[in-house]
Amino acid sequence: PPAGESAVRFAAVTSAQEAEIRERQPAFFANKTPERYRDLIDRATRLSQIDPDSAYARVRQIEFAAQAPNVGQPGFDRQEWVRTLGVLLNRARLVVPDEPELNKQFGDYLMNQMGRPRDAIPYLRRALDGESKIVPRGADDNWRSFLLAQALYDSGQAAAAVEVLEKAPGYPVPIQL
């Protein structure tokens, strides 16, 4: 890592890159165009190249890459996308294995892209229980709960799935199967 004045400049550059991503992100999710997609992917990739240890860069790179099927890119190749997403997730797990947002993304990938809900459960539990450095507590808790409940249900653990959903902040009504 840089030291002294270099560390100050490095922090300024990475903070500016993160701010640019945060600024553009709402417009992308409001209207997922191939141009906005490419812009965010390029920015997140550049940030992960500048700061390979950045949890923010890794998680955002994966978050945007996961949107590829939704942006209407000509020539979209689903198999290549699943492979690329797996590579990005595994690289990120080497850098920030305990980041809850990454565990959520990895569990989602295992369950929904690889068809392995039972394998997704430990990652989704860690996602629900951990404190993210990227997503503030509460902002994503319902989504994490939903994914864990889906994995439990798909693994034949319906009662455990209902229990998870009943504890989620956005589900005040008891759930019955």
Side-chain angles (χ1 to χ4, degrees):
E5 185 61 34
S6 291
V8 172
R9 285 193 308 271
F10 181 77
V13 167
T14 56
S15 292
Q17 292 281 323
E18 287 181 16
E20 287 177 8
I21 291 170
R22 281 189 191 97
E23 181 182 299
R24 287 169 168 77
Q25 194 172 347
F28 168 73
F29 283 106
N31 183 14
K32 297 176 184 171
T33 66
E35 297 78 24
R36 287 181 175 155
Y37 169 77
R38 188 79 257 149
D39 176 58
L40 284 172
I41 284 288
D42 290 347
R43 288 175 187 282
T45 300
R46 203 168 327 130
L47 182 56
S48 70
Q49 290 167 342
I50 292 168
D51 185 1
D53 296 329
S54 169
Y56 180 85
R58 297 291 180 165
V59 167
R60 292 301 176 229
Q61 189 179 24
I62 293 161
E63 178 183 32
F64 302 140
Q67 296 300 316
N70 305 320
V71 297
Q73 293 188 91
F76 174 73
D77 180 341
R78 180 168 174 69
Q79 283 184 309
E80 179 61 21
W81 169 73
V82 169
R83 189 196 69 73
T84 299
L85 197 55
V87 167
L88 290 172
L89 282 160
N90 282 305
R91 284 182 186 162
R93 287 180 53 225
L94 294 172
V95 176
V96 285
D98 298 325
E99 170 54 46
E101 186 64 14
L102 177 61
N103 281 311
K104 180 191 87 173
Q105 291 171 339
F106 191 66
D108 187 10
Y109 175 80
L110 287 171
M111 179 173 51
N112 291 313
Q113 303 311 320
M114 304 305 291
R116 296 169 34 200
R118 190 173 308 279
D119 293 336
I121 292 170
Y123 296 99
L124 295 170
R125 281 197 192 282
R126 285 196 296 265
L128 188 59
D129 295 338
E131 283 294 323
S132 176
K133 296 172 189 75
I134 298 164
V135 178
R137 184 47 112 183
D140 204 32
D141 290 353
N142 287 338
W143 188 241
R144 293 177 193 183
S145 296
F146 170 74
L147 287 172
L148 176 57
Q150 180 185 352
L152 289 164
Y153 186 83
D154 291 351
S155 297
Q157 301 174 56
V162 169
E163 187 178 319
V164 167
L165 289 176
E166 287 181 333
K167 291 179 183 175
Y171 294 92
V173 179
I175 299 166
Q176 297 178 354
L177 294 178

